[in-house]
Amino acid sequence: MKTIGVSSMVKAMKTNVLPYMDYGFLTVLVISLVLYYVGLLSSEAGIAFSVIISILATIPVVVSAVHALLHKEASVDLLASFALVFSLLSGQWASALFINLMLTSARIISAHADARARRNITSLLKMRPMHAHVRRGSDIVQVPLSEVARGDLVVVELGQMVPVDGMIVEGEGSLDQSSLTGESLPVEKKSGDQAFCSTVVVSGGVVIRTERIGTETTLEKIIALVEDAQLNKAEINTTAQRFAQWYIILMFVGVALVYWFSRDVALVLAVTLVVCADDIAIAIPLTFITGVGYAAKRGIIVKGADFLEAMEHVKIVLVDKTGTLTKGHLRIEHVALFGDMRETELISLAAATSALSDHPVSKAIVAYAEEKKAPHVQVENFRAWSGKGVTAQHNGVEVVMGKVAFFHELQIPIDTEIMARIVHEEDEGMSNNVIAVGGTVQGIFSLADALKSHIAEDIAELKSLGITKVVMLTGDNERVARRIARMTGVDEFHANLLPEQKLDRLRAYLSPKYKTIMVGDGVNDAAALSLADVGIAMGAIGYDAAIEAADVVLMKDDFSKIPELIRIARYVNKISRQNFVIWGIVNCIGLVLVFGGILAPTGAAAYNFLTDFLPLGNASRVAGLFMRHRRGKVV
């Protein structure tokens, strides 16, 4: 109980108090050092001022070291605390001021690097409908969602969001379920089918008998998945953390040996000051922060330097389909003719028949006609058959468009050749819209979710950067998934996945030997984005929940930014490794000077401070990325 209390107190101080103190410490430390070197702190009052400032500035370092020890971790602050306490006990006020100046700067930079605005759950809650239209007797009344009970009949019209989970008991319609399942096409629903909270009616209208409300709905379950994934996400073990684990132990052993053989406190202090590693404590965060800033200039928001480090070690990239590899809307892939009508004539008639429908298939046909500059024609007696198709008349002749089942229902014959073509297109992962004029099938419009531009080239570039496998996880059906995988160069795919199944698939690819990226854009991806080593959200069209759950957000919704981010990460990590090499060389030289009797404790502190700028200067080379960016070049 005692340890828990101390840990809680230290954590609260570190989180709530120290960030505000650091800015004050930084200002006072700079002023103190200037006053010290111009001789204004040589009096007793000046020395007392130095003592007070040194002690106060040492407190955050000791607090950080204690916090790490309570969590069984070794940090650079532990060695720094040793050096600071030694300096204070020996009366080396300038040394203490030097060390504290660099460590305070490091804390401020690290605080900025680690700050993340993660409002995942708040974003998901925005998708909750606030009201429902409930049938009460012969009336339909709007009530708060909290007043809806199991068994209530909820009426959902065109364009409205379903507020509950339940069974459709009346009506028919097409429901957009992409927010939950990732399906690219609206799903046709009729009496007896299930409807889910947060899905949208895009055609028709339905009456739903409420079965699940509140925390029992599918949306709430996804919220729980995001919470669970975040709580169980393993932290990334950065180079700085690995460095601290062995370096602290090595330095304490080395300092103890120096004292054992020399019994010289001044020598021990000088050695400790040289190897304090406060320069690394600031140079490494600075390197990554500069890289994060450059990435932001390129439209890539990285929510923490640790994710930029992790990007260098990525071997597997998992991607959602809809909105990530594809545009999330239908387009006409091709038109097959089977009658005596010319293609332009058939497209014009199909567009005229579709123009009054809000169904995504109809919109795709109208857009295709505009693209082909097909002439406009007029139709009469338009009628939309929910979930089936549309009918109209042109010059007194009936025009029918829709699914094969609709043609069977109207007893319009489809011969063997046409059926074979329909089956072939479906096997290729496309959907079909058949058109008949005067009772005779004239053609088939084959539709598919449109691929994003250059997506195959982007995936090929990922592989050229050493990515060993690109895997697609989608809620869409297997035929669609196979087609997209073949066209984009994806190595593996898993189809018909619900949100929890995506998590199961993702867990199978996680490994301590490499890092894994998850790329997605929908609410159904939010939990997976949280669980992956690095979650990347396609931000321009993504849902807020996915953006907040992700570790990286592509603001321009451009998949090519992913290989670019990997290149940036590798460059930044290279600079970081160089900083460690520079630091090692400088420390070796400093130790030679100390053991050669050239540097006493005060000189060692000054040497440490001045040489701190070498790794800092190398870290600033990352800023050269900005110059290359201005000249139109990237890493």
Side-chain angles (χ1 to χ4, degrees), residues 195-215:
F196 302 100
C197 178
S198 83
T199 59
V200 179
V201 177
V202 295
S203 70
V206 294
V207 178
I208 302 168
R209 178 182 289 113
T210 303
E211 295 179 347
R212 292 179 296 277
I213 55 178
T215 57

mmCIF file with all atom_site columns, all heavy atoms in Angstrom, residues 195-215:
data_model
loop_
_atom_site.group_PDB
_atom_site.id
_atom_site.type_symbol
_atom_site.label_atom_id
_atom_site.label_alt_id
_atom_site.label_comp_id
_atom_site.label_asym_id
_atom_site.label_entity_id
_atom_site.label_seq_id
_atom_site.pdbx_PDB_ins_code
_atom_site.Cartn_x
_atom_site.Cartn_y
_atom_site.Cartn_z
_atom_site.occupancy
_atom_site.B_iso_or_equiv
_atom_site.pdbx_formal_charge
_atom_site.auth_seq_id
_atom_site.auth_comp_id
_atom_site.auth_asym_id
_atom_site.auth_atom_id
_atom_site.pdbx_PDB_model_num
ATOM 1   N N   . ALA A 1 195 ? -31.315 -5.239 -38.804 1.00 0.00 ? 195 ALA A N   1
ATOM 2   C CA  . ALA A 1 195 ? -30.795 -3.894 -39.043 1.00 0.00 ? 195 ALA A CA  1
ATOM 3   C C   . ALA A 1 195 ? -29.991 -3.472 -37.816 1.00 0.00 ? 195 ALA A C   1
ATOM 4   O O   . ALA A 1 195 ? -30.311 -3.865 -36.688 1.00 0.00 ? 195 ALA A O   1
ATOM 5   C CB  . ALA A 1 195 ? -31.932 -2.917 -39.290 1.00 0.00 ? 195 ALA A CB  1
ATOM 6   N N   . PHE A 1 196 ? -28.951 -2.656 -38.048 1.00 0.00 ? 196 PHE A N   1
ATOM 7   C CA  . PHE A 1 196 ? -28.025 -2.338 -36.969 1.00 0.00 ? 196 PHE A CA  1
ATOM 8   C C   . PHE A 1 196 ? -27.925 -0.836 -36.736 1.00 0.00 ? 196 PHE A C   1
ATOM 9   O O   . PHE A 1 196 ? -28.001 -0.033 -37.676 1.00 0.00 ? 196 PHE A O   1
ATOM 10  C CB  . PHE A 1 196 ? -26.636 -2.893 -37.284 1.00 0.00 ? 196 PHE A CB  1
ATOM 11  C CG  . PHE A 1 196 ? -26.622 -4.378 -37.497 1.00 0.00 ? 196 PHE A CG  1
ATOM 12  C CD1 . PHE A 1 196 ? -26.607 -4.910 -38.776 1.00 0.00 ? 196 PHE A CD1 1
ATOM 13  C CD2 . PHE A 1 196 ? -26.661 -5.245 -36.420 1.00 0.00 ? 196 PHE A CD2 1
ATOM 14  C CE1 . PHE A 1 196 ? -26.610 -6.276 -38.980 1.00 0.00 ? 196 PHE A CE1 1
ATOM 15  C CE2 . PHE A 1 196 ? -26.656 -6.620 -36.611 1.00 0.00 ? 196 PHE A CE2 1
ATOM 16  C CZ  . PHE A 1 196 ? -26.641 -7.135 -37.895 1.00 0.00 ? 196 PHE A CZ  1
ATOM 17  N N   . CYS A 1 197 ? -27.699 -0.488 -35.487 1.00 0.00 ? 197 CYS A N   1
ATOM 18  C CA  . CYS A 1 197 ? -27.553 0.911  -35.096 1.00 0.00 ? 197 CYS A CA  1
ATOM 19  C C   . CYS A 1 197 ? -26.403 1.566  -35.859 1.00 0.00 ? 197 CYS A C   1
ATOM 20  O O   . CYS A 1 197 ? -25.346 0.964  -36.052 1.00 0.00 ? 197 CYS A O   1
ATOM 21  C CB  . CYS A 1 197 ? -27.301 0.973  -33.591 1.00 0.00 ? 197 CYS A CB  1
ATOM 22  S SG  . CYS A 1 197 ? -27.052 2.627  -32.936 1.00 0.00 ? 197 CYS A SG  1
ATOM 23  N N   . SER A 1 198 ? -26.627 2.811  -36.285 1.00 0.00 ? 198 SER A N   1
ATOM 24  C CA  . SER A 1 198 ? -25.669 3.680  -36.989 1.00 0.00 ? 198 SER A CA  1
ATOM 25  C C   . SER A 1 198 ? -25.597 3.428  -38.485 1.00 0.00 ? 198 SER A C   1
ATOM 26  O O   . SER A 1 198 ? -24.903 4.150  -39.197 1.00 0.00 ? 198 SER A O   1
ATOM 27  C CB  . SER A 1 198 ? -24.259 3.604  -36.392 1.00 0.00 ? 198 SER A CB  1
ATOM 28  O OG  . SER A 1 198 ? -23.537 2.491  -36.883 1.00 0.00 ? 198 SER A OG  1
ATOM 29  N N   . THR A 1 199 ? -26.320 2.406  -39.008 1.00 0.00 ? 199 THR A N   1
ATOM 30  C CA  . THR A 1 199 ? -26.388 2.232  -40.461 1.00 0.00 ? 199 THR A CA  1
ATOM 31  C C   . THR A 1 199 ? -27.422 3.204  -41.026 1.00 0.00 ? 199 THR A C   1
ATOM 32  O O   . THR A 1 199 ? -28.279 3.711  -40.304 1.00 0.00 ? 199 THR A O   1
ATOM 33  C CB  . THR A 1 199 ? -26.743 0.783  -40.834 1.00 0.00 ? 199 THR A CB  1
ATOM 34  O OG1 . THR A 1 199 ? -28.012 0.441  -40.264 1.00 0.00 ? 199 THR A OG1 1
ATOM 35  C CG2 . THR A 1 199 ? -25.703 -0.183 -40.305 1.00 0.00 ? 199 THR A CG2 1
ATOM 36  N N   . VAL A 1 200 ? -27.345 3.466  -42.339 1.00 0.00 ? 200 VAL A N   1
ATOM 37  C CA  . VAL A 1 200 ? -28.175 4.507  -42.954 1.00 0.00 ? 200 VAL A CA  1
ATOM 38  C C   . VAL A 1 200 ? -29.022 3.915  -44.083 1.00 0.00 ? 200 VAL A C   1
ATOM 39  O O   . VAL A 1 200 ? -28.510 3.146  -44.903 1.00 0.00 ? 200 VAL A O   1
ATOM 40  C CB  . VAL A 1 200 ? -27.292 5.649  -43.511 1.00 0.00 ? 200 VAL A CB  1
ATOM 41  C CG1 . VAL A 1 200 ? -28.153 6.722  -44.162 1.00 0.00 ? 200 VAL A CG1 1
ATOM 42  C CG2 . VAL A 1 200 ? -26.439 6.253  -42.399 1.00 0.00 ? 200 VAL A CG2 1
ATOM 43  N N   . VAL A 1 201 ? -30.298 4.296  -44.118 1.00 0.00 ? 201 VAL A N   1
ATOM 44  C CA  . VAL A 1 201 ? -31.195 3.864  -45.186 1.00 0.00 ? 201 VAL A CA  1
ATOM 45  C C   . VAL A 1 201 ? -30.951 4.749  -46.409 1.00 0.00 ? 201 VAL A C   1
ATOM 46  O O   . VAL A 1 201 ? -31.180 5.956  -46.368 1.00 0.00 ? 201 VAL A O   1
ATOM 47  C CB  . VAL A 1 201 ? -32.675 3.960  -44.749 1.00 0.00 ? 201 VAL A CB  1
ATOM 48  C CG1 . VAL A 1 201 ? -33.597 3.581  -45.906 1.00 0.00 ? 201 VAL A CG1 1
ATOM 49  C CG2 . VAL A 1 201 ? -32.945 3.071  -43.551 1.00 0.00 ? 201 VAL A CG2 1
ATOM 50  N N   . VAL A 1 202 ? -30.447 4.147  -47.503 1.00 0.00 ? 202 VAL A N   1
ATOM 51  C CA  . VAL A 1 202 ? -30.133 4.923  -48.711 1.00 0.00 ? 202 VAL A CA  1
ATOM 52  C C   . VAL A 1 202 ? -31.213 4.785  -49.779 1.00 0.00 ? 202 VAL A C   1
ATOM 53  O O   . VAL A 1 202 ? -31.200 5.516  -50.776 1.00 0.00 ? 202 VAL A O   1
ATOM 54  C CB  . VAL A 1 202 ? -28.761 4.519  -49.286 1.00 0.00 ? 202 VAL A CB  1
ATOM 55  C CG1 . VAL A 1 202 ? -27.643 4.870  -48.312 1.00 0.00 ? 202 VAL A CG1 1
ATOM 56  C CG2 . VAL A 1 202 ? -28.720 3.036  -49.629 1.00 0.00 ? 202 VAL A CG2 1
ATOM 57  N N   . SER A 1 203 ? -32.126 3.851  -49.611 1.00 0.00 ? 203 SER A N   1
ATOM 58  C CA  . SER A 1 203 ? -33.301 3.777  -50.481 1.00 0.00 ? 203 SER A CA  1
ATOM 59  C C   . SER A 1 203 ? -34.393 3.009  -49.748 1.00 0.00 ? 203 SER A C   1
ATOM 60  O O   . SER A 1 203 ? -34.103 2.118  -48.943 1.00 0.00 ? 203 SER A O   1
ATOM 61  C CB  . SER A 1 203 ? -32.979 3.097  -51.823 1.00 0.00 ? 203 SER A CB  1
ATOM 62  O OG  . SER A 1 203 ? -32.741 1.711  -51.654 1.00 0.00 ? 203 SER A OG  1
ATOM 63  N N   . GLY A 1 204 ? -35.646 3.377  -50.021 1.00 0.00 ? 204 GLY A N   1
ATOM 64  C CA  . GLY A 1 204 ? -36.766 2.715  -49.367 1.00 0.00 ? 204 GLY A CA  1
ATOM 65  C C   . GLY A 1 204 ? -36.986 3.216  -47.959 1.00 0.00 ? 204 GLY A C   1
ATOM 66  O O   . GLY A 1 204 ? -36.607 4.339  -47.589 1.00 0.00 ? 204 GLY A O   1
ATOM 67  N N   . GLY A 1 205 ? -37.602 2.399  -47.132 1.00 0.00 ? 205 GLY A N   1
ATOM 68  C CA  . GLY A 1 205 ? -37.896 2.725  -45.741 1.00 0.00 ? 205 GLY A CA  1
ATOM 69  C C   . GLY A 1 205 ? -38.287 1.458  -45.007 1.00 0.00 ? 205 GLY A C   1
ATOM 70  O O   . GLY A 1 205 ? -38.843 0.529  -45.610 1.00 0.00 ? 205 GLY A O   1
ATOM 71  N N   . VAL A 1 206 ? -38.011 1.389  -43.708 1.00 0.00 ? 206 VAL A N   1
ATOM 72  C CA  . VAL A 1 206 ? -38.257 0.160  -42.949 1.00 0.00 ? 206 VAL A CA  1
ATOM 73  C C   . VAL A 1 206 ? -38.841 0.489  -41.582 1.00 0.00 ? 206 VAL A C   1
ATOM 74  O O   . VAL A 1 206 ? -38.684 1.601  -41.053 1.00 0.00 ? 206 VAL A O   1
ATOM 75  C CB  . VAL A 1 206 ? -36.960 -0.660 -42.765 1.00 0.00 ? 206 VAL A CB  1
ATOM 76  C CG1 . VAL A 1 206 ? -36.441 -1.177 -44.087 1.00 0.00 ? 206 VAL A CG1 1
ATOM 77  C CG2 . VAL A 1 206 ? -35.878 0.166  -42.071 1.00 0.00 ? 206 VAL A CG2 1
ATOM 78  N N   . VAL A 1 207 ? -39.501 -0.515 -41.038 1.00 0.00 ? 207 VAL A N   1
ATOM 79  C CA  . VAL A 1 207 ? -39.965 -0.464 -39.647 1.00 0.00 ? 207 VAL A CA  1
ATOM 80  C C   . VAL A 1 207 ? -39.245 -1.586 -38.905 1.00 0.00 ? 207 VAL A C   1
ATOM 81  O O   . VAL A 1 207 ? -39.266 -2.741 -39.334 1.00 0.00 ? 207 VAL A O   1
ATOM 82  C CB  . VAL A 1 207 ? -41.491 -0.651 -39.549 1.00 0.00 ? 207 VAL A CB  1
ATOM 83  C CG1 . VAL A 1 207 ? -41.929 -0.631 -38.083 1.00 0.00 ? 207 VAL A CG1 1
ATOM 84  C CG2 . VAL A 1 207 ? -42.219 0.437  -40.335 1.00 0.00 ? 207 VAL A CG2 1
ATOM 85  N N   . ILE A 1 208 ? -38.600 -1.238 -37.785 1.00 0.00 ? 208 ILE A N   1
ATOM 86  C CA  . ILE A 1 208 ? -37.735 -2.189 -37.064 1.00 0.00 ? 208 ILE A CA  1
ATOM 87  C C   . ILE A 1 208 ? -38.307 -2.447 -35.669 1.00 0.00 ? 208 ILE A C   1
ATOM 88  O O   . ILE A 1 208 ? -38.631 -1.502 -34.934 1.00 0.00 ? 208 ILE A O   1
ATOM 89  C CB  . ILE A 1 208 ? -36.302 -1.628 -36.942 1.00 0.00 ? 208 ILE A CB  1
ATOM 90  C CG1 . ILE A 1 208 ? -35.727 -1.327 -38.333 1.00 0.00 ? 208 ILE A CG1 1
ATOM 91  C CG2 . ILE A 1 208 ? -35.403 -2.582 -36.167 1.00 0.00 ? 208 ILE A CG2 1
ATOM 92  C CD1 . ILE A 1 208 ? -34.450 -0.523 -38.296 1.00 0.00 ? 208 ILE A CD1 1
ATOM 93  N N   . ARG A 1 209 ? -38.420 -3.728 -35.311 1.00 0.00 ? 209 ARG A N   1
ATOM 94  C CA  . ARG A 1 209 ? -38.782 -4.079 -33.942 1.00 0.00 ? 209 ARG A CA  1
ATOM 95  C C   . ARG A 1 209 ? -37.498 -4.105 -33.117 1.00 0.00 ? 209 ARG A C   1
ATOM 96  O O   . ARG A 1 209 ? -36.572 -4.864 -33.393 1.00 0.00 ? 209 ARG A O   1
ATOM 97  C CB  . ARG A 1 209 ? -39.479 -5.430 -33.868 1.00 0.00 ? 209 ARG A CB  1
ATOM 98  C CG  . ARG A 1 209 ? -39.822 -5.840 -32.404 1.00 0.00 ? 209 ARG A CG  1
ATOM 99  C CD  . ARG A 1 209 ? -40.480 -7.193 -32.288 1.00 0.00 ? 209 ARG A CD  1
ATOM 100 N NE  . ARG A 1 209 ? -41.843 -7.170 -32.814 1.00 0.00 ? 209 ARG A NE  1
ATOM 101 C CZ  . ARG A 1 209 ? -42.245 -7.813 -33.904 1.00 0.00 ? 209 ARG A CZ  1
ATOM 102 N NH1 . ARG A 1 209 ? -41.355 -8.539 -34.588 1.00 0.00 ? 209 ARG A NH1 1
ATOM 103 N NH2 . ARG A 1 209 ? -43.496 -7.750 -34.315 1.00 0.00 ? 209 ARG A NH2 1
ATOM 104 N N   . THR A 1 210 ? -37.443 -3.261 -32.106 1.00 0.00 ? 210 THR A N   1
ATOM 105 C CA  . THR A 1 210 ? -36.239 -3.099 -31.299 1.00 0.00 ? 210 THR A CA  1
ATOM 106 C C   . THR A 1 210 ? -35.901 -4.373 -30.529 1.00 0.00 ? 210 THR A C   1
ATOM 107 O O   . THR A 1 210 ? -36.752 -4.934 -29.836 1.00 0.00 ? 210 THR A O   1
ATOM 108 C CB  . THR A 1 210 ? -36.415 -1.933 -30.309 1.00 0.00 ? 210 THR A CB  1
ATOM 109 O OG1 . THR A 1 210 ? -36.721 -0.742 -31.039 1.00 0.00 ? 210 THR A OG1 1
ATOM 110 C CG2 . THR A 1 210 ? -35.147 -1.721 -29.486 1.00 0.00 ? 210 THR A CG2 1
ATOM 111 N N   . GLU A 1 211 ? -34.645 -4.807 -30.663 1.00 0.00 ? 211 GLU A N   1
ATOM 112 C CA  . GLU A 1 211 ? -34.162 -5.988 -29.929 1.00 0.00 ? 211 GLU A CA  1
ATOM 113 C C   . GLU A 1 211 ? -33.018 -5.643 -28.985 1.00 0.00 ? 211 GLU A C   1
ATOM 114 O O   . GLU A 1 211 ? -32.917 -6.205 -27.902 1.00 0.00 ? 211 GLU A O   1
ATOM 115 C CB  . GLU A 1 211 ? -33.704 -7.069 -30.912 1.00 0.00 ? 211 GLU A CB  1
ATOM 116 C CG  . GLU A 1 211 ? -34.834 -7.637 -31.769 1.00 0.00 ? 211 GLU A CG  1
ATOM 117 C CD  . GLU A 1 211 ? -34.330 -8.677 -32.750 1.00 0.00 ? 211 GLU A CD  1
ATOM 118 O OE1 . GLU A 1 211 ? -33.091 -8.776 -32.932 1.00 0.00 ? 211 GLU A OE1 1
ATOM 119 O OE2 . GLU A 1 211 ? -35.163 -9.378 -33.338 1.00 0.00 ? 211 GLU A OE2 1
ATOM 120 N N   . ARG A 1 212 ? -32.140 -4.732 -29.414 1.00 0.00 ? 212 ARG A N   1
ATOM 121 C CA  . ARG A 1 212 ? -30.993 -4.361 -28.578 1.00 0.00 ? 212 ARG A CA  1
ATOM 122 C C   . ARG A 1 212 ? -30.869 -2.846 -28.525 1.00 0.00 ? 212 ARG A C   1
ATOM 123 O O   . ARG A 1 212 ? -30.947 -2.173 -29.559 1.00 0.00 ? 212 ARG A O   1
ATOM 124 C CB  . ARG A 1 212 ? -29.696 -4.981 -29.128 1.00 0.00 ? 212 ARG A CB  1
ATOM 125 C CG  . ARG A 1 212 ? -29.651 -6.497 -29.012 1.00 0.00 ? 212 ARG A CG  1
ATOM 126 C CD  . ARG A 1 212 ? -28.370 -7.070 -29.579 1.00 0.00 ? 212 ARG A CD  1
ATOM 127 N NE  . ARG A 1 212 ? -28.252 -6.831 -31.019 1.00 0.00 ? 212 ARG A NE  1
ATOM 128 C CZ  . ARG A 1 212 ? -28.820 -7.586 -31.945 1.00 0.00 ? 212 ARG A CZ  1
ATOM 129 N NH1 . ARG A 1 212 ? -29.554 -8.628 -31.579 1.00 0.00 ? 212 ARG A NH1 1
ATOM 130 N NH2 . ARG A 1 212 ? -28.669 -7.323 -33.223 1.00 0.00 ? 212 ARG A NH2 1
ATOM 131 N N   . ILE A 1 213 ? -30.656 -2.328 -27.365 1.00 0.00 ? 213 ILE A N   1
ATOM 132 C CA  . ILE A 1 213 ? -30.519 -0.890 -27.170 1.00 0.00 ? 213 ILE A CA  1
ATOM 133 C C   . ILE A 1 213 ? -29.307 -0.630 -26.286 1.00 0.00 ? 213 ILE A C   1
ATOM 134 O O   . ILE A 1 213 ? -28.783 -1.522 -25.628 1.00 0.00 ? 213 ILE A O   1
ATOM 135 C CB  . ILE A 1 213 ? -31.788 -0.285 -26.534 1.00 0.00 ? 213 ILE A CB  1
ATOM 136 C CG1 . ILE A 1 213 ? -32.120 -1.026 -25.229 1.00 0.00 ? 213 ILE A CG1 1
ATOM 137 C CG2 . ILE A 1 213 ? -32.955 -0.322 -27.496 1.00 0.00 ? 213 ILE A CG2 1
ATOM 138 C CD1 . ILE A 1 213 ? -33.318 -0.463 -24.503 1.00 0.00 ? 213 ILE A CD1 1
ATOM 139 N N   . GLY A 1 214 ? -28.866 0.629  -26.276 1.00 0.00 ? 214 GLY A N   1
ATOM 140 C CA  . GLY A 1 214 ? -27.774 1.018  -25.379 1.00 0.00 ? 214 GLY A CA  1
ATOM 141 C C   . GLY A 1 214 ? -26.503 0.247  -25.628 1.00 0.00 ? 214 GLY A C   1
ATOM 142 O O   . GLY A 1 214 ? -26.044 0.084  -26.755 1.00 0.00 ? 214 GLY A O   1
ATOM 143 N N   . THR A 1 215 ? -25.936 -0.294 -24.544 1.00 0.00 ? 215 THR A N   1
ATOM 144 C CA  . THR A 1 215 ? -24.638 -0.968 -24.621 1.00 0.00 ? 215 THR A CA  1
ATOM 145 C C   . THR A 1 215 ? -24.700 -2.299 -25.355 1.00 0.00 ? 215 THR A C   1
ATOM 146 O O   . THR A 1 215 ? -23.663 -2.900 -25.631 1.00 0.00 ? 215 THR A O   1
ATOM 147 C CB  . THR A 1 215 ? -24.084 -1.220 -23.210 1.00 0.00 ? 215 THR A CB  1
ATOM 148 O OG1 . THR A 1 215 ? -25.038 -1.979 -22.456 1.00 0.00 ? 215 THR A OG1 1
ATOM 149 C CG2 . THR A 1 215 ? -23.816 0.096  -22.492 1.00 0.00 ? 215 THR A CG2 1
#
